């Protein structure tokens, strides 16, 4: 069954923000872990039409955000419903997301940033074709964390 992408509704945003809770170190990705991220995600004007609900068989399974950062370059953010993570679903989901952005936005390059502790995601991104381009530190979730910037050439 295919993944479907549609603009995230307020109800879906609230469901993700308040009900999706990840286990262990992955709780870093809980929306409530960072007030600034939570406020931005819940604000329809901030989200605009660039954050998408991803459904499969009419069930919300993920979200996918896209922002244009330069001519031909789009940055993505994504998250899968916690009960679906770590079970081999990521490859199909990420490929569907890349296909969606290529069809809708015609990018030359897609970038993303991932916390360096998240080796599970980094392995997936590399498998799909993302390349490491650098590291940076970012204040979030009440501390400073190291992130890896990656890019995919279309």
């Amino acid at each position: 069954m295919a993944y479907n992408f549609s603009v995230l509704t307020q109800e879906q945003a609230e469901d993700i923000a308040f009900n999706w809770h990840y286990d262990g170190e992955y709780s870093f990705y809980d929306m409530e872990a960072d007030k600034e991220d939570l406020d931005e995600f819940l604000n329809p004007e901030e989200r605009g039409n660039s954050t998408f609900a991803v459904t499969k068989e009419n069930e919300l399974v993920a979200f996918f955000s896209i922002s244009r950062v330069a001519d031909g370059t789009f940055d993505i953010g994504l998250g899968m419903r916690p009960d679906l993570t770590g079970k081999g679903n990521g490859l199909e989901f990420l490929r569907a997301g890349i296909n969606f952005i290529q069809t809708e936005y015609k990018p030359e390059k897609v970038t993303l940033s991932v916390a360096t502790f998240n080796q599970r995601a980094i392995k997936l991104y590399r498998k799909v074709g993302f390349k490491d381009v650098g590291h940076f530190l970012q204040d979030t979730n009440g501390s400073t964390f190291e992130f890896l910037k990656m890019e995919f050439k279309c």
Side-chain angles (χ1 to χ4, degrees), residues 43-153:
N43 185 328
E45 292 174 11
E46 293 274 341
R47 282 194 321 270
N49 292 327
S50 61
T51 301
F52 298 88
V54 183
T55 58
K56 192 171 186 180
E57 298 176 3
N58 295 317
E59 190 177 328
L60 181 64
V61 297
F63 68 90
F64 198 87
S65 64
I66 303 167
S67 59
R68 183 176 172 272
V69 293
D71 281 347
T73 302
F74 292 83
D75 194 67
I76 61 171
L78 58 150
M80 182 171 272
R81 202 175 68 210
D83 63 305
L84 300 175
T85 62
K87 297 179 179 170
N89 297 307
L91 187 62
E92 182 187 9
F93 164 56
L94 184 56
R95 285 185 174 150
I98 295 294
N99 287 340
F100 175 76
I101 194 171
Q102 287 178 318
T103 300
E104 297 295 319
Y105 296 87
K106 311 285 191 260
E108 295 170 19
K109 184 169 43 176
V110 176
T111 61
L112 60 77
S113 299
V114 57
T116 54
F117 77 80
N118 192 349
Q119 290 299 308
R120 183 172 70 188
I122 292 169
K123 181 180 172 186
L124 170 67
Y125 300 148
R126 288 176 177 153
K127 188 173 187 175
V128 170
F130 279 85
K131 305 290 184 209
D132 301 9
V133 293
H135 290 84
F136 64 93
L137 297 175
Q138 181 170 321
D139 294 334
T140 187
N141 297 30
S143 190
T144 302
F145 293 88
E146 182 182 31
F147 284 79
L148 173 63
K149 188 75 167 178
M150 305 180 82
E151 72 176 29
F152 177 90
K153 293 195 175 166

